[in-house]
């Protein structure tokens, strides 16, 4: 080979590495997954394990800072009132999270347990106990006296009690998704950056989507497609999700804390507030589960408001008085994206037979990532049928959340 030819070849190789989207011709895949959050990444992982040729595409990257899967930590637990389905999925998912955590170089799951604080006699707690008992899952019911003895950091009234799930705990959210994405990439999944343009029935050929087009003009062809676009799902799939996605502003605070202050306090919920103790030295996490103002995830001002801090401190003064005056270490503004009921969306696109949509999981969906991915993989392979609870037809344009 002549020197000029060799230099030309090296130049071409360099261009393909530095600018892969321009140099790489469109490839055919079995499945293209759009969105590398918890749902999309677990779906790609299961599909790859099933022997599919998979591409996982994200506009920025797995669990990026603006994504709903991009925060530091998430709660995982099994109690869902009387819902057998969510309890079963959460339980099965915990086993997968534990396995992934064991494979990772840093922990992804901290099994501290989850403590629900409530008034004596609340019916939902009886439903939780009944459902967990049906699945032979452990739990404890604790009186105010027992709670004070076990968790001295708590301030409790005499008619308050606790419901403790020892199998639950905290997931390191961003880290877990990125570890999973790297794992499936090592196994053969193509993981890359790209922003998908909107699709509709008009995009179809013979009732199916032939390809997804990325910003810049590249087209990725596949037999089937999964759109897991989080708070952008209604923009990428407007025909299916228009008016059915509720994106709200949510604020998270981390107060300076220590084991000396909190003792062995587990993950806790005292709705609408919930939180995580000082896991990995991050601070005492406090968040309000109440849905905030509806927002645009692209223009959302991600600075916590003073009134949010004041409200959190008032709650701490009542429930965790030792922490009420602790310095605010860190704060974060993220978003929920929910359906009208709070139930997930996992369904076929109404005008494209080879397109699946998944989303609406904020506030409770992250923990179910493994079960969602397994179910979607089975849907793609034709081994399962869609579940009515997650159907597009069951979702409305007025929000009446019923899932906690």
């Amino acid at each position: 080979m002549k020197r000029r030819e060799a230099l030309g070849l090296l130049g071409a190789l360099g261009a393909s590495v530095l600018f892969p989207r321009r140099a790489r011709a469109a490839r055919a895949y079995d499945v293209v997954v759009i969105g590398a959050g918890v749902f999309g990444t677990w779906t790609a992982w299961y599909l790859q394990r099933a022997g599919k040729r998979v591409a996982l595409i994200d506009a920025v990257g797995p669990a990026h800072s603006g994504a709903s899967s991009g925060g530091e930590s998430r709660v995982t637990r099994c109690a869902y009132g009387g819902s057998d389905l969510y309890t079963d999925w959460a339980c099965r998912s915990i086993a997968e999270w534990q396995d992934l955590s064991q494979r990772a170089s840093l922990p992804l799951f901290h099994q501290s347990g989850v403590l629900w604080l409530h008034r004596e006699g609340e019916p939902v707690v009886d439903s939780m106990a009944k459902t967990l008992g049906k699945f032979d899952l452990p739990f404890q019911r604790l009186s105010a006296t027992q709670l004070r003895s076990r968790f001295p950091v708590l301030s409790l009234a005499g008619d308050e009690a606790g419901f403790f799930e020892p199998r639950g705990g905290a997931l390191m959210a961003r880290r877990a998704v990125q570890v999973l994405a790297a794992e499936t990439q090592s196994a053969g999944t193509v993981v890359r950056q790209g922003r998908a343009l909107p699709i509709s029935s008009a995009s179809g050929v013979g009732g199916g989507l032939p390809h997804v087009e990325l910003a810049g003009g590249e087209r990725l062809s596949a037999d089937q497609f999964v759109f897991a676009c989080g708070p952008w799902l209604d923009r990428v799939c407007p025909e299916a999700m228009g008016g059915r996605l509720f994106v709200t502003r949510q604020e998270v605070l981390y107060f300076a804390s220590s084991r000396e202050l909190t003792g062995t306090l587990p993950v806790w919920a005292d709705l609408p507030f919930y939180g995580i103790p000082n896991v990995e030295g991050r601070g005492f996490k406090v968040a309000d589960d109440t849905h905030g103002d509806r927002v645009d995830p692209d223009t959302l001002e991600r600075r916590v408001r003073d009134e949010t801090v004041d409200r959190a401190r008032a709650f701490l003064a009542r429930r965790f008085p030792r922490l009420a005056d602790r310095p605010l270490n860190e704060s974060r503004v993220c978003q929920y994206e929910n359906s009208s009921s709070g139930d997930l969306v996992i369904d076929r696109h109404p005008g494209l037979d080879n397109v699946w949509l998944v989303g609406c999981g904020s506030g409770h969906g992250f923990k179910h990532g493994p079960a969602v991915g397994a179910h979607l993989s089975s849907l793609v392979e034709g081994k399962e049928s869609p579940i009515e609870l997650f159907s597009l037809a069951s979702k409305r344009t007025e929000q009446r959340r019923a899932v906690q």
Side-chain angles (χ1 to χ4, degrees), residues 151-298:
F151 309 114
V153 69
L154 287 170
S155 176
L156 296 152
D159 63 344
E160 292 182 312
F163 186 93
F164 182 66
E165 291 184 64
R167 288 196 64 192
L171 295 166
M172 307 311 292
R174 176 175 53 246
R175 183 192 303 164
V177 173
Q178 292 175 345
V179 165
L180 187 69
E183 187 173 278
T184 193
Q185 183 177 35
S186 296
T189 295
V190 174
V191 180
R192 51 168 296 199
Q193 185 179 1
R195 180 171 63 84
L197 300 183
I199 64 166
S200 69
S201 298
S203 310
V205 175
L209 188 70
H211 58 258
V212 63
E213 185 172 350
L214 305 182
E218 183 181 4
R219 295 177 173 181
L220 301 177
S221 61
D223 296 328
Q224 298 200 62
F225 300 85
V226 175
F227 286 82
C229 303
W232 298 277
L233 188 59
D234 59 343
R235 298 184 184 183
V236 183
C237 304
E239 185 178 27
M241 290 301 301
R244 291 185 170 130
L245 191 70
F246 299 85
V247 181
T248 58
R249 175 190 177 96
Q250 306 298 138
E251 298 177 325
V252 179
L253 307 173
Y254 293 86
F255 293 92
S257 182
S258 67
R259 182 71 171 231
E260 288 71 29
L261 284 170
T262 61
T264 58
L265 184 72
V267 172
W268 55 271
D270 185 10
L271 296 178
F273 288 94
Y274 69 93
I276 297 174
N278 196 32
V279 173
E280 297 191 4
R282 192 60 180 262
F284 191 81
K285 178 177 179 178
V286 179
D288 187 340
D289 191 51
T290 305
H291 288 191
D293 300 329
R294 294 185 70 173
V295 295
D296 180 335
D298 288 327

Side-chain angles (χ1 to χ4, degrees), residues 74-85:
R74 295 290 186 278
V75 176
T76 184
R77 36 88 179 183
C78 295
Y80 265 87
S83 173
D84 288 359
L85 177 57

